[in-house]
Amino acid sequence: MCGIFGAYSFSGEDVVKKIYYGLYALQHRGQEGAGIAVSNGKNIYSYKGLGLVSEVFSKEVINSLRGQVGIGHVRYSTTGGTFVENCQPFIVNSTLGNLAIAHNGDILNSHILREELEKQGHIFTSSTDSEVIAHLLVKELLRTGDIIRSIEEVSKKIVGAYSLVILYNNSLIAVRDPYGFKPLCIGKDEKDNYYISSESCGLDVINGELIRDVSPGEIIIINRNGIETYRIEENPGGSTCMFEYVYFARPDSIIDGISVYNVRRRLGKVLAKEEPCEGDLVSPVPDSGVTSAIGYSEELGIPYYEALIKNRYVGRTFILPSQEERDLAVRLKLNPVKPIIEGKRVILIDDSIVRGTTSKRIVNIVRKAGAKEVHLRVGSPRIISPCYYGIDMPTKEELIASSKSLEEIRRYINVDSLGYLSVQGLIRGIGREDLCLACVTGRYPTDVSCKFCCK
Amino acid sequence: MCGIFGAYSFSGEDVVKKIYYGLYALQHRGQEGAGIAVSNGKNIYSYKGLGLVSEVFSKEVINSLRGQVGIGHVRYSTTGGTFVENCQPFIVNSTLGNLAIAHNGDILNSHILREELEKQGHIFTSSTDSEVIAHLLVKELLRTGDIIRSIEEVSKKIVGAYSLVILYNNSLIAVRDPYGFKPLCIGKDEKDNYYISSESCGLDVINGELIRDVSPGEIIIINRNGIETYRIEENPGGSTCMFEYVYFARPDSIIDGISVYNVRRRLGKVLAKEEPCEGDLVSPVPDSGVTSAIGYSEELGIPYYEALIKNRYVGRTFILPSQEERDLAVRLKLNPVKPIIEGKRVILIDDSIVRGTTSKRIVNIVRKAGAKEVHLRVGSPRIISPCYYGIDMPTKEELIASSKSLEEIRRYINVDSLGYLSVQGLIRGIGREDLCLACVTGRYPTDVSCKFCCK
Amino acid sequence: MCGIFGAYSFSGEDVVKKIYYGLYALQHRGQEGAGIAVSNGKNIYSYKGLGLVSEVFSKEVINSLRGQVGIGHVRYSTTGGTFVENCQPFIVNSTLGNLAIAHNGDILNSHILREELEKQGHIFTSSTDSEVIAHLLVKELLRTGDIIRSIEEVSKKIVGAYSLVILYNNSLIAVRDPYGFKPLCIGKDEKDNYYISSESCGLDVINGELIRDVSPGEIIIINRNGIETYRIEENPGGSTCMFEYVYFARPDSIIDGISVYNVRRRLGKVLAKEEPCEGDLVSPVPDSGVTSAIGYSEELGIPYYEALIKNRYVGRTFILPSQEERDLAVRLKLNPVKPIIEGKRVILIDDSIVRGTTSKRIVNIVRKAGAKEVHLRVGSPRIISPCYYGIDMPTKEELIASSKSLEEIRRYINVDSLGYLSVQGLIRGIGREDLCLACVTGRYPTDVSCKFCCK
Amino acid sequence: MCGIFGAYSFSGEDVVKKIYYGLYALQHRGQEGAGIAVSNGKNIYSYKGLGLVSEVFSKEVINSLRGQVGIGHVRYSTTGGTFVENCQPFIVNSTLGNLAIAHNGDILNSHILREELEKQGHIFTSSTDSEVIAHLLVKELLRTGDIIRSIEEVSKKIVGAYSLVILYNNSLIAVRDPYGFKPLCIGKDEKDNYYISSESCGLDVINGELIRDVSPGEIIIINRNGIETYRIEENPGGSTCMFEYVYFARPDSIIDGISVYNVRRRLGKVLAKEEPCEGDLVSPVPDSGVTSAIGYSEELGIPYYEALIKNRYVGRTFILPSQEERDLAVRLKLNPVKPIIEGKRVILIDDSIVRGTTSKRIVNIVRKAGAKEVHLRVGSPRIISPCYYGIDMPTKEELIASSKSLEEIRRYINVDSLGYLSVQGLIRGIGREDLCLACVTGRYPTDVSCKFCCK
Ligand SMILES: Nc1ncnc2c1ncn2[C@@H]1O[C@H](COP(=O)(O)OP(=O)(O)O)[C@@H](O)[C@H]1O
Ligand SMILES: Nc1ncnc2c1ncn2[C@@H]1O[C@H](COP(=O)(O)OP(=O)(O)O)[C@@H](O)[C@H]1O
Ligand SMILES: Nc1ncnc2c1ncn2[C@@H]1O[C@H](COP(=O)(O)OP(=O)(O)O)[C@@H](O)[C@H]1O
Ligand SMILES: Nc1ncnc2c1ncn2[C@@H]1O[C@H](COP(=O)(O)OP(=O)(O)O)[C@@H](O)[C@H]1O
Ligand code: SF4
Ligand code: SF4
Ligand code: SF4
Ligand code: SF4
Ligand SMILES: [Mg+2]
Ligand SMILES: [Mg+2]
Ligand SMILES: [Mg+2]
Ligand SMILES: [Mg+2]
């Protein structure tokens, strides 16, 4: 996934802390690494590291960076391994100009583009798409000398999902791919500072106001000349990732004009209509199931309880015994509230099922806590195909719904009944149709063949 | 506050990881430091440090400790400053025997006892009550040679709140003060390992089963001779801290036979009866207000919404600008979901109000997000007197309810209406009468004069 | 060993950096840990840690400490294990007054004293002699209320070697045991700051001037009333450790009026007279053999060469393969200069032989580098008895000279000839007779029976 | 400067620890950073960091790397700032093959080459010459497909000093520039492992044997086919840096068949003949002056003393007061042995004078210690021109000898007499004529105009 953020101050204010707080609010989009790059008018200075925003940036580091324009990135662990080299923004300090790029999404044909570039003598030091985009951009810049034209040319070559913030000399540029897979929005504050953020919650934290979303295929450039907007020619129509609403984004964000919180509550209500259930209480699998569970409970008039408490100190590192590893991991994270479970028919609500192994473990915990019956309702359709657009998912074989029938899944997870939201219900709940639904339908908005061609 | 944990294996199993996981589950009781002490039959080995359990204990450290009996502690920042010397357990490796002590609570007369000991030539290296208790215990041990009699003697001298786990040679000992201020329970698992834990959630995580709570004034000793129980003579009758139910304990814990989760939900319902309100939605101030808010909403039939989203990555360290510090801190932590607030009459539920400054900031955030009206209902009575039993509270002057009337508080916090739970409602909601209610009534169960005598 | 330092400013200057630099210069006396304690007039503040002075004290730490009187310590690894708890100064912040103690030496009967104190209920948190001395001092202070009388009383009880710096409220006190085992001197600078230092090189670095050495059995107290000196009654006559001159002290120090550098050069000359040798070149085993080798070479007119180069980056931590560990360690540290060794008769000079294993390895390195003959001359007599006064030595069994004859040692080390300095030669070279020579004669200046009594 | 090391095992042994120890022995060539890259047959794995070898590589890191061929680098702080990005080896993992490069020296025209490459779209992530060489190599590899031909082509383009170790797929390659500025040698051990090292002391430490030096203009490739050697066509004749003998290399190394130790001793003797002096003692400025001082003393028959003791714990970080910074730094590092200086005529020997400020401070220290006269003799000629070949030197203006006469320098440094070695004496002392002497003659062996062209 990853989260990106950009800031430009017309008043010449230092934007480093703004970026820092923005990344803080986007931390749920990536906990593996973080980076900030700012331009002081002449050079780009940057700092990146592995870990949470608060771990990467000490007070000293923040105070050592200074600039009135800059970008930032929080990194999620997908391809590329946990190396600081793979942290973003990717920086180019060259005599041709200075460039920093931060990327959210996944370029399907990056390995092909990379190989071509390597054949031309280009050298890569990371395994990020950012670096491939940087190389392509610099190549075009050499030819055209114009950053907007260069971005347009590069976007013709790259296939996939990309929301980008680019720092070019003293300009801040935002790019959202023509499909609009990943969210990206623009905001401003009272002091005439402009911001680009993966989600609107990144604007709230710095007292910014959401202006609007960057449109699919739009390029926005902010510099001393003001704000200009361009459009990448080929515009296939939007297909924004439905999973952002269902799971990934923060509930307090607004994506393309639609409140994530309201979507989740509505999904709970639609689910209740499509897959009602008899039971004594409705409980979420926290945190992702909370809001839908409230909607589900309200729709059916069954009381809402938190039957599972999530340990909020479960971090990325704790010491597991080699055996029973995963079981214990789930138990450390989620603890049942036995007194409200005992002897009850529990209806659990979660946002989605991927492999099914975690769900199975959770159901087991609830059963052991004394539930009479355990029912599971899922706030999204069956995931049957992997995502190629930047959401980290297992291979098709590991997706439980790609091969197993509803009944087989029910038996595997060991619930008394199981119900998924329908694709139509999902679209209704979200309230828009220009969505990517590939992982639940198998129909990909882009050509995905290059994913298989030559790796 | 602090959390304590103990483990004894009759089967000779190594208990270090058990203690580690137990502390993990008790982490909400203290995030400033952690320590583990284990006995390998001859010596006590220990490791302590500042920070979260997962930060203090690396894999290497955990693997380097080994023993079939041991204790652990998580530290909350009260008196004593943030020094590793103040981390517990406090260890005595002496020719008289080995001793480790971990303490939850506050000894009112510890400064007097300490001064007396110093006058006799005793030397202290920390500012913890644990060390005072250790000195007293060793003195009695020298006289009596008997650990139980020594504990009985010491408990006659110390006034205040103390739940203790003690590692003495190869015995594990649990002590709960005669008032039973702080919770303490005993459990076991299938492999005949016994555990002592501040809260029952510490047992769940290691697949242990809650046997029962340690009674006020009870001493339990576990060693190769089995399990024995003793009673400290003077037994004034229990007065368990009501705040454990209201705020401090984890909702999935059971304290003295009563489910914390159920208490909180009931408190919400009682509050709804005592202080009903007209509004469009009920929302908690997360996390402490969540469960009462659900109860409140259910009782009045007003829909439950999460109008404020808590950033779960807000840790102990982040970089704040010198100005507007506190305001920003609250905004980084709690973000409003504007689409559900705008134009609405919002009823906020929180567990308690201490200084009132945070509540004021939160109300301001909700107002700025567009609320038409903001009402606040509080799941506990007005706090009018400081706690002397280990809950970190400001001085009487800083407690907003100690000097201001309801209407004055309402105006300060800037809500349209304000309602507190009554003391009777609190007792009813918790469902027991042997409670400490000192901070909401001013009537302290013990003599508190020594708090003022000579400091 | 350990090194100690104290500073008192009559002009009210901050002395923290002075102590820091003083410890820096005494670093050769201990590399395992360091600590500083200063008094700001009301409390004692301290900071200690494992590692080198430069590693323990960051700029922030140094700037956070402040006081016009203070003491410091560098720790050598002897008994007690590598725990930060064993770092000094040992601090007592009590209602009776504040005390910090740093100790160089070894108290022979500390385990007995400790046991007695434990029987009276005293609790120890470290395994240092400092803590035992602190307990005894506090006990006496309680009785007498007078620090000087207390020190006198304590010194009657403790047997062994002790140079002490004590910070008591706002006084700086220096104590040297009646035997004067360990060096200790007093100095001042132009700004009326007074210093106590283990060696005079600690004064040089802060532009201080050596006033004189603290006499055996002397107590010096410096406070607002000026400087006073007292004498511990029983004065057995000095027996300063000869090994300070031979090996431990820095060559640029002056101990009890005698230059260490001059002693070492003289020892080389006396050795040349006592144990002359035919050869093509004289080479030291660096660094300890350098100065004597120069003297030896000069006396016999055989050219001086550095046949072995010491890697100055060999620190305390490097990764050794499990096998051949020690061999490689020596090779990493000392590398032969083959071109000057090949075909030559090499006379090696070292300061002393303890186990003989390192010497054997070094000789092997020189032989492999092509030496025709290797001769070894040692600048001190055979070590036949362990030291009980603070120099870390192996047990008697491991001392090669305690059981092997000269010829047996020669064969073990594999040299063509071997010669040691005589005890008389040593005394002549040092130029004083009031020396401890116990490790080379077996005659201990104090009763050492308690070392064996009950451990 | 920097130091480089390479290892190839024909027996398939793991070479990581060999490289680690090799770098350990080369540590004097660079203390700012270190890196190792090894090939496991398919990929190149690497680890780099800032600090000393022992700080950068933990046991875990060393154990995590594995390969039978690899290279390493220790970094000296020259251009490029202290960033981990500038640590070497520079790595290229590409579909065309894997490449790692470590470089010692300075490419004069690298900024021009870099700019050209940037104009062709190449992107740089560090400011090292290594990266420029890597780009050029990859470009040639694309054209020719042959690594040797590629190196030959690249060496036609780059002007300056370069000793290189290259890891290409599974081959180890050593390159020394046609002038042979920097040393580079090849060795082997008993187990048929081959090594490349900046200095022969790197071979000693792993029990390797020096085979011979890599010749100026030679390329050596080691892989499963054995060892082959090639010659870069244009061979201008050697001009090895005289400063390697005089100052930089370790005395126990042999460079191009000549022992550094013997050179330094001879330089002392030649200096004694050219610039004799009357005095009571000869003393080095340690460490660099030690060996020449011995030669000087021997030649004139004036006794050799160590009048200045160097604190061996002076590391890269210690806290200096803002005022008097530099003065204190020198005093912390070098302490006079007053008893041997007082009232004496001291002849100091140092290897060279750059700015003169340190010499001035040292002379001041010796004077304050009571010297009657201070004379300075320098084991190399006056430095009048900056080095462009990788030795970090100040600008011409800051070189004291570039503008001041001998008498002016003498007065500035405040010595009673001053004498430098002549250029002829230097050549005689080293014993070869194919030397670079540019910094002492102003005659550069290569065109240096590009250093000034366009920066
Ligand atoms: N601050 C927040 N408050 C509430 N929900 C959040 C917050 N940040 C992220 N989320 C939501 O948390 C969910 C993921 O949490 P959770 O289900 O506990 O983890 P996972 O399922 O990945 O183990 C997502 O739905 C995300 O929208
Ligand atoms: N894992 C958990 N899940 C839910 N609630 C928890 C958990 N751990 C602690 N709590 C509750 O969280 C509340 C404190 O959180 P919160 O209100 O967010 O912090 P604060 O009010 O201290 O800023 C307490 O009521 C405590 O019982
Ligand atoms: N700064 C210094 N300069 C020269 N010698 C020193 C210095 N500091 C300590 N010494 C001397 O170094 C010797 C110890 O070094 P060395 O022989 O290399 O180590 P060891 O024998 O302990 O392995 C001692 O004789 C000590 O006096
Ligand atoms: N292990 C070693 N033993 C002796 N000399 C060394 C060693 N390593 C490097 N040197 C020499 O030390 C000299 C540099 O040390 P020094 O003069 O103390 O430092 P600087 O002059 O850079 O402050 C060089 O001449 C180098 O050849
Ligand atoms: S495939 Fe699924 S997860 Fe991926 S972008 Fe499309 S909807 Fe989102
Ligand atoms: S005073 Fe209040 S917080 Fe303290 S123990 Fe009593 S009820 Fe609990
Ligand atoms: S026994 Fe030896 S080492 Fe110990 S104090 Fe006496 S002379 Fe020094
Ligand atoms: S200019 Fe001087 S320092 Fe540089 S390479 Fe030539 S001789 Fe060496
Ligand atoms: Mg989830
Ligand atoms: Mg709260
Ligand atoms: Mg030695
Ligand atoms: Mg030097």
Side-chain angles (χ1 to χ4, degrees), chain A residues 247 286 288 350-351:
Chain A
Y247 171 78
S288 48
D350 206 351
D351 62 294

Side-chain angles (χ1 to χ4, degrees), chain A residues 160-306:
Chain A
Y162 50 96
S163 281
L164 302 171
V165 281
I166 300 173
L167 177 59
Y168 176 65
N169 293 331
N170 289 317
S171 302
L172 172 65
I173 302 162
V175 183
R176 193 172 175 195
D177 68 63
Y179 296 85
F181 280 110
K182 302 292 148 199
L184 197 66
C185 65
I186 177 166
K188 60 172 297 225
D189 67 16
E190 294 162 3
K191 295 186 191 156
D192 223 22
N193 300 322
Y194 280 76
Y195 302 104
I196 304 292
S197 178
S198 279
E199 295 182 29
S200 64
C201 67
L203 304 173
D204 297 337
V205 85
I206 45 169
N207 256 336
E209 201 187 326
L210 173 61
I211 301 177
R212 64 173 175 87
D213 292 83
V214 179
S215 310
E218 186 178 9
I219 304 168
I220 296 180
I221 181 163
I222 311 179
N223 57 28
R224 58 169 63 170
N225 305 322
I227 305 176
E228 281 169 47
T229 172
Y230 299 85
R231 190 149 294 280
I232 299 171
E233 242 150 305
E234 34 172 338
N235 202 326
S239 58
T240 300
C241 170
M242 64 83 184
F243 230 65
E244 290 279 348
Y245 291 102
V246 166
Y247 171 78
F248 212 85
R250 252 175 63 170
D252 44 337
S253 285
I254 295 169
I255 298 180
D256 292 333
I258 299 173
S259 155
V260 174
Y261 187 85
N262 278 334
V263 166
R264 292 196 186 163
R265 232 168 173 283
R266 276 200 303 266
L267 290 174
K269 290 186 173 250
V270 176
L271 181 62
K273 280 185 201 132
E274 290 188 354
E275 296 285 347
C277 183
E278 290 212 351
D280 300 314
L281 59 95
V282 171
S283 167
V285 176
D287 289 332
S288 48
V290 169
T291 312
S292 324
I294 295 168
Y296 193 94
S297 145
E298 197 178 78
E299 184 67 28
L300 295 184
I302 303 172
Y304 172 78
Y305 274 85
E306 302 141 293

Side-chain angles (χ1 to χ4, degrees), chain D residues 247 286-288 350-351:
Chain D
Y247 170 79
D287 290 330
S288 47
D350 206 350
D351 61 294

Side-chain angles (χ1 to χ4, degrees), chain D residues 278-296:
Chain D
E278 290 212 353
D280 299 315
L281 59 95
V282 170
S283 167
V285 177
D287 290 330
S288 47
V290 169
T291 312
S292 324
I294 296 168
Y296 193 94

Side-chain angles (χ1 to χ4, degrees), chain D residues 384-405:
Chain D
I384 55 171
S385 271
C387 176
Y388 298 128
Y389 305 116
I391 302 277
D392 194 30
M393 271 189 199
T395 57
K396 193 163 180 134
E397 290 69 44
E398 292 173 284
L399 291 170
I400 191 169
S402 78
S403 57
K404 284 204 167 62
S405 72

Side-chain angles (χ1 to χ4, degrees), chain B residues 88-283:
Chain B
Q88 302 187 29
F90 184 82
I91 316 289
V92 183
N93 267 328
S94 100
T95 46
L96 299 165
N98 301 317
L99 195 72
I101 297 186
H103 171 224
N104 173 207
D106 207 10
I107 306 298
L108 275 90
N109 61 336
S110 69
H111 58 299
I112 300 170
L113 295 166
R114 196 181 152 126
E115 215 176 296
E116 276 170 25
L117 287 161
E118 283 178 347
K119 289 216 182 98
Q120 291 156 31
H122 286 250
I123 284 179
F124 290 84
T125 55
S126 76
S127 51
T128 61
D129 289 348
S130 274
E131 189 174 4
V132 174
I133 298 173
H135 279 257
L136 293 170
L137 257 184
V138 168
K139 260 188 86 172
E140 288 302 327
L141 266 173
L142 274 170
R143 231 173 33 90
T144 67
D146 181 281
I147 184 71
I148 298 299
R149 274 194 51 203
S150 299
I151 293 172
E152 284 166 355
E153 288 307 313
V154 170
S155 73
K156 282 181 198 152
K157 297 210 178 91
I158 56 180
V159 178
Y162 49 96
S163 281
L164 302 171
V165 282
I166 300 173
L167 177 60
Y168 177 65
N169 291 332
N170 290 318
S171 301
L172 171 65
I173 301 162
V175 183
R176 192 172 177 196
D177 68 63
Y179 297 85
F181 281 109
K182 302 291 148 200
L184 196 66
C185 65
I186 176 166
K188 60 171 300 224
D189 68 15
E190 295 162 4
K191 293 187 192 156
D192 224 21
N193 300 322
Y194 281 75
Y195 303 104
I196 304 293
S197 179
S198 278
E199 294 181 29
S200 65
C201 67
L203 305 173
D204 296 337
V205 85
I206 46 168
N207 256 336
E209 201 186 325
L210 173 61
I211 301 176
R212 64 172 175 89
D213 292 83
V214 179
S215 310
E218 187 177 8
I219 305 168
I220 296 179
I221 181 163
I222 312 178
N223 57 28
R224 60 168 61 171
N225 304 322
I227 305 176
E228 280 168 46
T229 171
Y230 299 85
R231 189 149 296 278
I232 299 170
E233 243 149 305
E234 34 172 340
N235 202 327
S239 58
T240 300
C241 172
M242 64 84 182
F243 230 67
E244 289 281 347
Y245 290 103
V246 166
Y247 170 77
F248 212 84
R250 253 174 63 169
D252 45 338
S253 285
I254 295 169
I255 297 180
D256 292 334
I258 299 173
S259 156
V260 173
Y261 188 86
N262 278 334
V263 166
R264 292 196 185 162
R265 230 167 175 284
R266 276 202 302 266
L267 290 175
K269 291 187 172 247
V270 177
L271 182 62
K273 280 185 203 136
E274 291 187 353
E275 296 285 346
C277 184
E278 290 212 351
D280 300 315
L281 59 95
V282 171
S283 167

Side-chain angles (χ1 to χ4, degrees), chain C residues 200-208 210 252-253, chain D residues 331 335-336 338:
Chain C
S200 64
C201 66
L203 304 173
D204 297 337
V205 84
I206 45 168
N207 256 337
L210 174 61
D252 44 339
S253 285
Chain D
R331 212 164 59 233
N335 202 36
K338 283 186 204 150

Side-chain angles (χ1 to χ4, degrees), chain C residues 89-360:
Chain C
F90 184 82
I91 316 289
V92 182
N93 268 327
S94 100
T95 45
L96 298 164
N98 301 316
L99 197 72
I101 297 187
H103 172 222
N104 172 208
D106 206 12
I107 306 298
L108 275 91
N109 61 337
S110 69
H111 60 298
I112 299 170
L113 295 166
R114 197 181 152 129
E115 215 176 296
E116 276 170 25
L117 287 162
E118 283 178 348
K119 289 217 180 97
Q120 292 157 29
H122 286 250
I123 283 179
F124 290 83
T125 54
S126 76
S127 52
T128 61
D129 289 348
S130 274
E131 189 172 5
V132 175
I133 298 173
H135 279 256
L136 293 170
L137 257 184
V138 169
K139 261 188 85 169
E140 289 300 327
L141 267 172
L142 275 170
R143 228 171 37 88
T144 67
D146 180 279
I147 184 71
I148 298 298
R149 273 193 54 202
S150 299
I151 293 172
E152 284 166 354
E153 287 307 313
V154 170
S155 73
K156 283 181 195 149
K157 296 210 179 92
I158 56 180
V159 177
Y162 50 95
S163 281
L164 302 171
V165 281
I166 300 173
L167 177 59
Y168 176 65
N169 292 332
N170 290 318
S171 302
L172 171 65
I173 301 162
V175 183
R176 191 170 176 197
D177 68 62
Y179 297 85
F181 280 110
K182 302 292 149 200
L184 196 66
C185 64
I186 176 164
K188 62 173 297 227
D189 66 16
E190 295 162 2
K191 294 184 192 159
D192 223 24
N193 300 320
Y194 280 75
Y195 303 102
I196 304 293
S197 177
S198 279
E199 294 181 30
S200 64
C201 66
L203 304 173
D204 297 337
V205 84
I206 45 168
N207 256 337
E209 200 187 327
L210 174 61
I211 301 177
R212 64 173 175 88
D213 292 82
V214 179
S215 310
E218 186 178 9
I219 304 169
I220 296 179
I221 182 163
I222 311 179
N223 57 28
R224 60 168 62 171
N225 304 323
I227 305 176
E228 280 169 47
T229 171
Y230 299 84
R231 189 150 294 278
I232 299 170
E233 242 150 304
E234 34 171 337
N235 202 325
S239 59
T240 301
C241 172
M242 65 82 186
F243 230 67
E244 290 280 348
Y245 291 102
V246 166
Y247 170 78
F248 213 86
R250 252 175 64 170
D252 44 339
S253 285
I254 295 170
I255 298 181
D256 292 335
I258 299 174
S259 155
V260 174
Y261 187 85
N262 278 335
V263 166
R264 291 195 187 162
R265 229 166 176 284
R266 273 200 305 264
L267 291 174
K269 291 185 172 250
V270 176
L271 181 62
K273 280 184 202 136
E274 291 187 353
E275 296 285 346
C277 184
E278 290 211 352
D280 300 315
L281 58 96
V282 171
S283 168
V285 176
D287 290 330
S288 46
V290 169
T291 313
S292 324
I294 295 167
Y296 193 95
S297 145
E298 196 176 78
E299 184 67 28
L300 296 184
I302 303 172
Y304 172 79
Y305 274 83
E306 303 141 291
L308 291 160
I309 297 297
K310 186 170 168 189
N311 186 333
R312 50 168 87 151
Y313 302 101
V314 165
R316 290 147 310 150
T317 46
F318 54 79
I319 303 155
L320 286 168
S322 36
Q323 278 165 301
E324 321 171 310
E325 279 222 9
R326 301 277 99 217
D327 256 30
L328 178 56
V330 172
R331 214 163 58 232
L332 278 175
K333 193 172 160 185
L334 293 175
N335 202 38
V337 184
K338 282 186 204 150
I340 65 173
I341 292 176
E342 265 165 10
K344 296 286 166 45
R345 294 168 302 164
V346 178
I347 309 169
L348 288 177
I349 311 291
D350 206 350
D351 61 296
S352 55
I353 300 179
V354 180
R355 280 186 185 82
T357 44
T358 302
S359 303
K360 188 187 174 74

